[in-house]
Amino acid sequence: MKEIRLQGRGGQGVVKASQLVVEAAVAEGLYGQAIPFFGVERKGSPVFGYLRLSHEPIRRRMQVYEPDILLIFDDSLLTMAETFDGLKEGGTIILNTAKKKEDLALPPQAGGVWLVDGTAISEDILGRNMPNTAMLGAFAKATGLVDKDTLLDKIEHTFGAENKEAAFRAYDSAAEYK
């Protein structure tokens, strides 16, 4: 089982992104679980989503405390101490940022670090900062946990062709830094 924590700000589509990953995983015959956590429910406040993906039924029903993967929608969250809480040794970070890896304060236990400028992609294609579908494209590339085409189809069905294009562009531009 892989446990994933999505982190962003209210209005960035974190909750819907976690639901789309589960839909794609289930369509491929996996088991999936999405658990949203809103905290203060207002635009711009920190929002979390928790995911579990597995080949076996998932019995655990609580938030993710020790994620294998962090999917971070907003690099301003890096200044919050709890952003990296519980990240497993060698865990993967997928980060929406225009910065270079050496300019980021990342934890020593991070294994693979994937960077993509989901904000620029979404602003270019959608005309606004809504990086959720772009981040899903990067997630598909970085993890291989869900099939890219299945996920892109779910995105198109839910949000339309422009969002599918944002995910596809992010898939192509996401880069790993070790």
Side-chain angles (χ1 to χ4, degrees), residues 32-175:
Q33 180 186 87
I35 302 169
F37 178 82
F38 299 100
V40 178
E41 295 186 43
R42 69 174 192 272
K43 189 171 182 161
S45 63
V47 175
F48 302 90
Y50 304 99
L51 287 175
R52 290 186 178 87
L53 302 176
S54 179
H55 293 282
E56 306 290 327
I58 301 168
R59 306 277 183 236
R60 196 176 292 176
R61 302 274 187 237
M62 60 187 188
Q63 69 187 41
V64 172
Y65 292 102
E66 295 182 342
D68 299 288
I69 301 163
L70 293 177
L71 185 58
I72 304 171
F73 286 44
D74 190 315
D75 64 5
S76 71
L77 295 171
L78 299 182
T79 61
M80 296 173 56
E82 62 271 11
T83 297
F84 301 110
D85 280 356
L87 179 64
K88 290 181 182 171
E89 188 67 38
T92 300
I93 297 171
I94 307 163
L95 176 62
N96 174 20
T97 189
K99 298 175 183 173
K100 295 181 175 148
K101 182 183 180 232
E102 53 270 11
D103 297 330
L104 301 168
L106 299 172
Q109 74 267 32
V113 175
W114 289 78
L115 305 179
V116 65
D117 193 348
T119 296
I121 291 169
S122 69
E123 287 176 345
D124 182 46
I125 296 173
L126 306 174
R128 66 188 191 284
N129 181 13
M130 179 60 76
N132 63 342
T133 53
M135 293 307 293
L136 291 181
F139 174 81
K141 182 175 184 178
T143 68
L145 293 173
V146 293
D147 178 71
K148 172 189 77 165
D149 294 326
T150 303
L151 186 57
L152 290 176
D153 288 346
K154 293 291 180 187
I155 290 168
E156 183 175 31
H157 177 74
T158 303
F159 292 119
E162 288 179 329
N163 280 278
K164 179 180 180 179
E165 175 60 27
F168 184 77
R169 192 181 299 177
Y171 182 92
D172 280 348
S173 66

